[in-house]
Amino acid sequence: MKNMDMTAFIAAALVVAVTACGRNREESLRTMIDRCYDTALSQSMMLAESTSPLEGMLPRTFEDGELKTTDYRGWVCGFFPGTLWELYEHFPDNARLRGYAEEFTARVFPAKDMTSTHDLGFMVFCSSGNAWRLTGDTKYRDVILAASQSLATRYNEKTGVIMSWNPNKVWKYPVIIDNMMNLEMLFRATQLTGDSIYWNVAVNHANTTLKNHFRPDYSSYHVVDYHPETGEVRL
């Protein structure tokens, strides 16, 4: 896009933004937040009602006018139940909402035994993590701990990091920067059990990532590939 075109685009966007703000200038921040929560609740309940009859399925996306779903093996499977729990925290008297949160969280339970993915923090901690935080039900705690054990199997002492994708023709021990977002569950596992193994894995992964994943200008590589026997960076 030419500089003039970009300038015109930005100017038009600002006009739209200012106009929108002007229309809502009488609305308080509290009112706006409540309105957004109400909209999120309405949309989420509609999505839950649509997906509930699909045994074992969870919402993934909406494309070409159709709802696309995934089961517990999809890396995004924990996001929807996590959203329901976050809404339940705001609407604690909504029994139907809690029922859906419990239903869709249970659909993610089988993921706790998966050792083929590093995404268990996304999958389990968004769902059972929020459920445990808000209900204190020990079944959710048990899922968190089982998932943490599964995630820890992907850690290698020689590399000092949790493997992200499984090896293939290109990668021997690939680690993506996104993996940092799965560490919170490991810290919580140590907090819940007193077992420092999860804490050690998380801290070692973070320190190794800090050492190898960042360029001199502090931007980040998406993937770093390690030699599984020496821990040296390959790519």
Side-chain angles (χ1 to χ4, degrees):
M1 184 179 288
K2 297 179 181 179
N3 289 340
M4 185 61 69
D5 293 337
M6 179 60 76
T7 301
F9 175 79
I10 294 173
L14 287 172
V15 169
V16 172
V18 170
T19 301
C21 288
R23 284 199 302 266
N24 296 300
R25 63 182 181 274
E26 301 300 328
E27 183 180 37
S28 69
L29 180 60
R30 179 72 263 170
T31 301
M32 183 186 70
I33 291 172
D34 289 340
R35 177 169 55 81
C36 289
Y37 266 111
D38 288 340
T39 301
L41 176 64
S42 175
Q43 293 292 97
S44 296
M45 292 296 283
M46 181 170 58
L47 187 54
E49 290 167 3
S50 300
T51 313
S52 180
L54 308 177
E55 185 175 357
M57 294 293 104
L58 301 107
R60 180 172 63 85
T61 188
F62 192 82
E63 5 179 273
D64 301 324
E66 292 185 6
L67 171 65
K68 306 294 183 181
T69 59
T70 184
D71 64 10
Y72 70 87
R73 291 168 291 187
W75 71 275
V76 299
C77 68
F79 293 161
F80 184 61
T83 297
L84 295 178
W85 283 115
E86 294 281 358
L87 286 170
Y88 175 70
E89 185 173 16
H90 190 75
F91 299 103
D93 297 325
N94 192 320
R96 286 183 64 236
L97 173 61
R98 174 161 178 166
Y100 279 131
E102 292 173 342
E103 175 185 340
F104 285 100
T105 297
R107 294 185 182 190
V108 185
F109 283 175
K112 71 183 187 303
D113 298 318
M114 293 179 66
T115 58
S116 58
T117 178
H118 72 287
D119 287 319
L120 291 175
F122 296 144
M123 299 155 73
V124 170
F125 207 56
C126 285
S127 52
S128 288
N130 276 305
W132 162 252
R133 178 175 66 85
L134 295 172
T135 71
D137 190 323
T138 56
K139 69 183 177 187
Y140 300 120
R141 175 184 182 274
D142 293 344
V143 171
I144 294 169
L145 297 180
S148 297
Q149 292 171 6
S150 296
L151 180 59
T153 66
R154 298 183 67 80
Y155 177 78
N156 181 338
E157 289 284 354
K158 293 180 180 178
T159 62
V161 279
I162 299 166
M163 181 189 293
S164 295
W165 307 323
N166 292 329
N168 56 35
K169 293 180 179 179
V170 178
W171 313 109
K172 289 186 178 294
Y173 197 100
V175 177
I176 62 175
I177 191 64
D178 315 43
N179 211 344
M180 289 291 294
M181 298 181 70
N182 292 294
L183 303 186
E184 183 181 3
M185 183 174 70
L186 297 178
F187 285 120
R188 182 55 57 89
T190 287
Q191 186 181 56
L192 292 174
T193 65
D195 189 340
S196 62
I197 186 172
Y198 307 108
W199 188 92
N200 290 332
V201 167
V203 169
N204 288 343
H205 180 96
N207 286 336
T208 304
T209 298
L210 184 63
K211 176 182 176 182
N212 296 321
H213 246 90
F214 293 92
R215 302 181 183 93
D217 65 357
Y218 304 109
S219 62
S220 170
Y221 296 104
H222 182 224
V223 189
V224 172
D225 193 37
Y226 293 85
H227 193 294
E229 297 299 325
T230 67
E232 296 179 355
V233 173
R234 293 183 64 248
L235 298 171

